[in-house]
Amino acid sequence: MTQSVKDIVSPEEWAIRVDLAACYRMVAHYGWDDLIFTHISARVPGPDAHFLINPYGMMFEEVTASSLVKVDLDGNKVLDSDFDINPAGFNIHSAVHAAREDAHCVLHLHTNEGVAVSILEDGLEAFSQASLFPLSGLSYHDYEGVSLDPDEKQRLVADLGDNNFFVLRNHGLLTCASTIPDAFLFMYIMQRAAETQLLAQGTGKPLIKVPDAILAGIQSMAKEVLKSSGGQMAWPGILRKLDRDYPGFRS
């Protein structure tokens, strides 16, 4: 009888698998997915530099804890899977995981609003309260084409620096964090900020920016505030919602 993935991996890895599958399902719930073409990855607990990423070809709403593919930083599967991984997604996510010990989860999306803001010369601006949190630690990476060139990794992580909010020009948004709930919260906030900005700009009316003094104050405290708020508090409720509305992600 074939062993299940849950029987093979450690309890710590299984917990990460469940949270990561939940994150995929919530991205699908909000309509932020792009068929099979974006990624959320999470580092596997333990001494090896292994991380989990979505099986290439599976819709986000189909992802389960067992279906996630475990790979090393060279893209080699370290646990048998019938699925491959997207090489462009691997290039971006492996670069961040390798460079940032604190980046246990990396979330990258191609939402319409995120791509639109990435195209704007001024990028994300201080128009809403939500925008202030990304602006406390936001950086940009210029577009270099489909992310298949290994040499781009060094430039990408240099642009990211120690920030948790990242705009890939002409491409989309990326967040990273020490936990899956926090990476999801960061993307939720940045996505909402992008949506609000585009709605306001679309009116064609004069816009009021948050005063520089308020922005500076937020920037000085937001990183510390975000470490202890939101992600972990909201996550149990998110899991309950998924159990009610989208059961199966835990399998």
Side-chain angles (χ1 to χ4, degrees), residues 31-141:
W32 297 341
D33 47 345
D34 182 15
L35 292 178
I36 60 172
F37 297 113
T38 59
H39 314 278
I40 316 166
S41 60
R43 183 172 292 144
V44 175
D48 299 315
H50 296 162
F51 63 93
L52 302 166
I53 197 165
N54 50 317
Y56 197 26
M58 191 173 284
M59 300 287 283
F60 280 23
E61 66 195 43
E62 300 175 305
V63 172
T64 65
S66 297
S67 68
L68 292 159
V69 182
K70 183 159 65 169
V71 296
D72 63 21
L73 290 175
D74 295 319
N76 302 307
K77 287 188 279 189
V78 295
L79 190 66
D80 286 342
S81 172
D82 293 333
F83 287 88
D84 289 321
I85 62 170
N86 184 325
F90 169 77
N91 211 40
I92 293 172
H93 288 251
S94 63
V96 178
H97 281 298
R100 291 275 300 271
E101 279 294 321
D102 63 318
H104 291 178
C105 181
V106 180
L107 201 170
H108 168 49
L109 301 178
H110 299 160
T111 64
N112 291 339
E113 299 84 2
V115 175
V117 165
S118 80
I119 295 168
L120 297 176
E121 184 174 356
D122 290 333
L124 188 67
E125 299 184 75
F127 289 128
S128 66
Q129 177 171 278
S131 71
L132 305 184
F133 294 97
L135 290 171
S136 70
L138 177 67
S139 51
Y140 293 79
H141 176 65

